[in-house]
Amino acid sequence: MPVTVVIGNPPYAERAEGMGGWIEKGSAATRNDKKSVAKAKLDDFRMPGNGLTEYVLKNLYIYFWRWATWKVFESVPADQAGVVCFISTAGYLRGPGFKGMRSYLRREADEGWIIDLTPEGQTPDVPSRIFPGVRQQLAIGIFVRRADHDAATPAPIQYRSLHGKQADKFRALAQLDLTTGWERARDGLTEPLTPAAGAWDAFPAVGDLLAWVSPGVKANRTWVYAPSAAILRDRWSTLRTSRGTSNFVSNFKVTRDSRVDQGKAPLSGSASVDSTVGLDKSMDGEPDTSRVSYRSLDRQWIVSDHRVIDQARPDLWAANEAARSVFVNEQHSKPISSGPALTFSALLPDMDNFKGSEGGRTLPLLHPDGTPNLAPGLLEGLAAEASIQADHEDLLAYVAGVVAHPAFTATFVDELTTPGVRVPITRDVALWARAVELGREVIWLHTYAERYVDPAAGREAGNVRSGWPMDAQPKSLEAVTTMPVKLQYDDVRGHIVFTDDDGDRNGAWGPVPREVFDYTVGGMNVISSWFKYRKKNPGGKKTSPLDDIHVDEWPHEWTLEFTELLTVLTRLVSLEPAQAELLEQVLAGSLITKDELASAGVRWPETRDDRKPRRKVAANTLDIFGDETE
């Protein structure tokens, strides 16, 4: 007898490759006829050109979704009605890696209902969770296929979210019916299974404006990062000393993409080591190290040897080396609810740069060949549609001025539950100019005065204190004498204080406003995160015994770097009222839609080829940012 209903709560397990059986690998038993190829059923959840994001499909709950939909929609007579209803994690509602799955559901079902059980976001307060021990976002998905299934008409999807504590959500579920209280979700085959609010979907996404997008550097081993290059040299020396012993492989941490006997092509800017042979044959001398943006506003160091980095993203290294680009960092596949919606760096970003969790990506301002990374025709389209004369630097500065502050995130908090930042673009030339000037200062601060330098505007190269009143500048008030253990805020004095093992003061900075101490990016407290990697017993994930190699004495450069971080945050907080006022005026005025810019000649990226980097470096590439050493 055909199975017509599948209801359940499938298990959740990331990195479940190889656990999906014939759903994942294919089987002769699932062929449509004897001559067909044994195609994996999971492939029906994939979409051409979307492969870089589809690692999320290798999860047990996705395998169960695919089995259930095959069982009810495909393994039955064509005129058989059926229902699939699962309560599962909610990543498939919005994530970019699930575009093919959403397309399948809309094509194979005739109607669907989504009940969002965790609109609070990832790791909500325990009293609001349906299952107290589950920190992931959850949703109930109901998909119905009728006997007279119409394959040519995508299924309409209805959506509602349940708020409050667990008991409130249970009461709402008990009273729920399928006819009232629902919002219509987006209609596009691959669009998120959530409603489009207001004009949000009419704005171009930041990934439309900057066509080449890439994950950041993914080392897959944490020992190659450190807040000091000296730490990396000590770790390298320990690894080299362990060659020929049983500890060599465990110290290195062998992965699928990196082994001790494997060579790789050298990375741009790191040609002083021979990376073409394995580490078991060549580890002479000191390691190459490069400054990177490890977390938002946290500059650290990496061993810039391709052999120890699984997915180095060579094109990003080339862009950084050849063009000295700005890197835009976005939490693209997970919701954000606090802090700026984007951050910026002058340094190569880690894949989890934005807030220290998966789902991030980077959008370089420049290609490896030094040319602007913009949608073709974008600047001309702005000029034709609104008489806005701009270059690529102006465009990015506008984005920073409008988007990179907490008021933007608060204004669009509901829209940002569907990940992906969109940018409202004003038609008002005066508002555009104000946003550009604000954004130039924002990016100058985010990049620690390495980009958008303009001494005439008070933005000196390498000096985040320039143009800032002396009495408002955070200063080191007490020296750090031993490795600190804890961090705290003195509300009475307005100081940040480090303490030692005995709880005694061991370093202090001030003046520091409370809102600076509380500054977050996507829920990550920037100051706490910075301190976590530099305290006596560093926090964070560890993948090797080498991670335990740290410093015994507080380096003086960390005092200087922390003072710079506090200065940057203080100045960013001071810009927020002006940015909030600007955003309000932009949204109250006339906006340019994505479709209008397309009509004006902008060619938005649609395929994977549209998003490829331009790699050839011209012989006479100009330094687009000028000489910032003067």
Side-chain angles (χ1 to χ4, degrees):
M1 179 178 293
V3 173
T4 58
V5 177
V6 174
I7 300 176
N9 173 208
Y12 179 91
E14 294 179 330
R15 300 176 180 89
E17 185 173 9
M19 300 171 65
W22 57 269
I23 288 293
E24 180 186 6
K25 302 297 185 181
S27 167
T30 61
R31 293 174 178 168
N32 293 326
D33 57 67
K34 293 183 178 180
K35 295 181 180 180
S36 64
V37 176
K39 177 184 175 183
K41 290 299 178 184
L42 187 64
D43 289 348
D44 292 323
F45 280 8
R46 302 185 188 279
M47 190 181 75
N50 202 40
L52 291 177
T53 65
E54 289 179 346
Y55 65 92
V56 293
L57 297 177
K58 297 174 183 178
N59 192 305
L60 278 183
Y61 91 97
I62 297 298
Y63 299 158
F64 273 78
W65 265 107
R66 184 63 191 101
W67 172 83
T69 52
W70 168 79
K71 194 68 176 176
V72 174
F73 297 161
E74 300 173 45
S75 70
V76 297
D79 60 351
Q80 179 70 63
V83 178
V84 176
C85 177
F86 274 162
I87 177 172
S88 70
T89 53
Y92 72 96
L93 302 186
R94 308 173 174 93
F98 299 101
K99 289 181 178 179
M101 178 178 175
R102 293 194 290 267
S103 176
Y104 173 93
L105 291 171
R106 284 185 167 105
R107 287 183 284 106
E108 296 297 330
D110 290 298
E111 193 164 7
W113 293 263
I114 298 294
I115 307 168
D116 191 341
L117 300 171
T118 322
E120 300 86 1
Q122 186 83 349
T123 316
D125 293 338
V126 172
S128 71
R129 301 182 189 179
I130 292 291
F131 304 133
V134 177
R135 64 180 182 83
Q136 287 86 6
Q137 293 175 265
L138 299 177
I140 297 173
I142 308 169
F143 294 90
V144 173
R145 183 184 179 104
R146 300 192 177 92
D148 59 347
H149 171 63
D150 180 3
T153 303
I157 308 297
Q158 308 298 326
Y159 170 93
R160 71 187 300 167
S161 58
L162 304 185
H163 297 263
K165 295 183 178 180
Q166 183 194 62
D168 300 322
K169 294 178 180 179
F170 283 160
R171 280 193 294 269
L173 283 170
Q175 298 168 6
L176 181 146
D177 64 56
L178 298 183
T179 59
T180 58
W182 298 86
E183 297 179 79
R184 178 69 174 261
R186 296 167 168 89
D187 290 326
L189 278 175
T190 64
E191 291 294 306
L193 304 177
T194 55
W200 178 254
D201 277 6
F203 304 158
V206 65
D208 295 324
L209 302 172
L210 302 172
W212 170 37
V213 300
S214 172
V217 175
K218 186 179 182 182
N220 277 340
R221 48 184 58 80
T222 52
W223 68 263
V224 303
Y225 283 113
S228 164
I231 296 173
L232 294 179
R233 289 193 290 270
D234 288 343
R235 291 174 179 174
W236 186 264
S237 177
T238 301
L239 178 65
R240 181 173 55 220
T241 302
S242 71
R243 284 196 303 176
T245 73
S246 59
N247 293 329
F248 187 41
V249 171
S250 59
N251 282 339
F252 174 73
K253 193 214 169 188
V254 172
T255 60
R256 182 195 67 184
D257 297 305
S258 300
R259 304 185 311 273
V260 293
D261 60 349
Q262 177 184 8
K264 295 183 182 180
L267 296 169
S268 181
S270 60
S272 64
V273 297
D274 183 7
S275 65
T276 61
V277 297
L279 290 167
D280 59 342
K281 296 182 176 63
S282 175
M283 285 188 69
D284 296 334
E286 299 289 350
D288 269 353
T289 58
S290 299
R291 205 78 191 267
V292 291
S293 181
Y294 187 57
R295 298 289 178 261
S296 289
L297 300 173
D298 184 357
R299 298 167 294 172
Q300 296 201 24
W301 295 82
I302 191 172
V303 176
S304 46
D305 186 319
H306 203 172
R307 295 172 294 180
V308 302
I309 304 173
D310 275 12
Q311 297 173 44
R313 324 295 183 195
D315 288 322
L316 291 182
W317 289 79
N320 184 60
E321 178 70 15
R324 300 167 66 207
S325 189
V326 177
F327 299 95
V328 184
N329 303 303
E330 178 190 20
Q331 185 74 6
H332 177 61
S333 62
K334 292 184 179 179
I336 57 172
S337 58
S338 65
L342 299 171
T343 61
F344 305 84
S345 63
L347 303 169
L348 281 170
D350 178 73
M351 190 175 83
D352 300 330
N353 175 274
F354 186 80
K355 58 167 291 187
S357 64
E358 291 184 357
R361 67 177 186 177
T362 189
L363 304 93
L365 175 60
L366 302 174
H367 284 284
D369 68 355
T371 59
N373 174 30
L374 298 181
L378 178 56
L379 300 180
E380 295 81 359
L382 288 170
E385 187 66 27
S387 298
I388 291 173
Q389 304 296 325
D391 62 15
H392 59 287
E393 288 189 58
D394 294 335
L395 187 282
L396 189 64
Y398 175 87
V399 172
V402 172
V403 169
H405 58 101
F408 178 90
T409 305
T411 299
F412 294 108
V413 67
D414 291 334
E415 290 81 355
L416 288 169
T417 59
T418 298
V421 174
R422 294 182 176 272
V423 183
I425 299 181
T426 184
R427 290 180 177 276
D428 188 314
V429 175
L431 281 179
W432 172 276
R434 283 179 54 200
V436 168
E437 191 53 39
L438 273 171
R440 285 177 172 272
E441 186 160 3
V442 168
I443 298 175
W444 177 74
L445 289 168
H446 275 237
T447 62
Y448 286 89
E450 292 186 27
R451 299 291 186 266
Y452 287 84
V453 171
D454 184 357
R459 299 193 297 269
E460 297 177 4
N463 181 13
V464 295
R465 292 176 173 243
S466 64
W468 192 245
M470 184 63 68
D471 60 356
Q473 293 183 9
K475 305 173 185 65
S476 173
L477 304 175
E478 299 175 21
V480 180
T481 56
T482 61
M483 289 301 293
V485 175
K486 291 185 179 180
L487 168 81
Q488 61 189 36
Y489 185 73
D490 184 337
D491 278 295
V492 176
R493 300 178 182 178
H495 292 173
I496 289 179
V497 178
F498 293 171
T499 59
D500 60 19
D501 283 311
D502 298 322
D504 296 329
R505 290 169 67 99
N506 179 35
W509 280 260
V512 180
R514 180 78 203 199
E515 54 267 40
V516 170
F517 182 73
D518 292 336
Y519 194 94
T520 62
V521 174
M524 177 193 75
N525 183 282
V526 170
I527 290 174
S528 295
S529 176
W530 187 95
F531 180 75
K532 175 178 73 175
Y533 297 107
R534 294 163 176 84
K535 63 181 181 176
K536 182 177 181 179
N537 296 307
K541 183 179 179 182
K542 296 183 178 181
T543 61
S544 158
L546 298 177
D547 286 304
D548 293 324
I549 297 176
H550 194 45
V551 292
D552 296 324
E553 297 181 356
W554 180 266
H556 178 63
E557 61 263 28
W558 288 1
T559 296
L560 301 177
E561 289 177 16
F562 192 55
T563 305
E564 284 189 313
L565 171 63
L566 296 179
T567 303
V568 166
L569 293 178
T570 301
R571 299 190 70 164
L572 288 173
V573 167
S574 75
L575 293 175
E576 290 174 1
Q579 288 181 277
E581 180 183 6
L582 172 71
L583 175 64
E584 186 176 336
Q585 293 173 347
V586 166
L587 295 177
S590 179
L591 300 172
I592 311 172
T593 68
K594 181 180 176 181
D595 287 345
E596 288 170 338
L597 285 170
S599 297
V602 180
R603 300 188 299 280
W604 299 116
E606 295 180 353
T607 69
R608 190 170 180 177
D609 285 343
D610 295 336
R611 297 191 176 279
K612 288 183 177 179
R614 292 193 288 270
R615 297 185 175 92
K616 185 178 180 180
V617 179
N620 297 315
T621 299
L622 296 177
D623 181 358
I624 293 175
F625 290 98
D627 184 359
E628 296 171 355
T629 62
E630 295 181 353

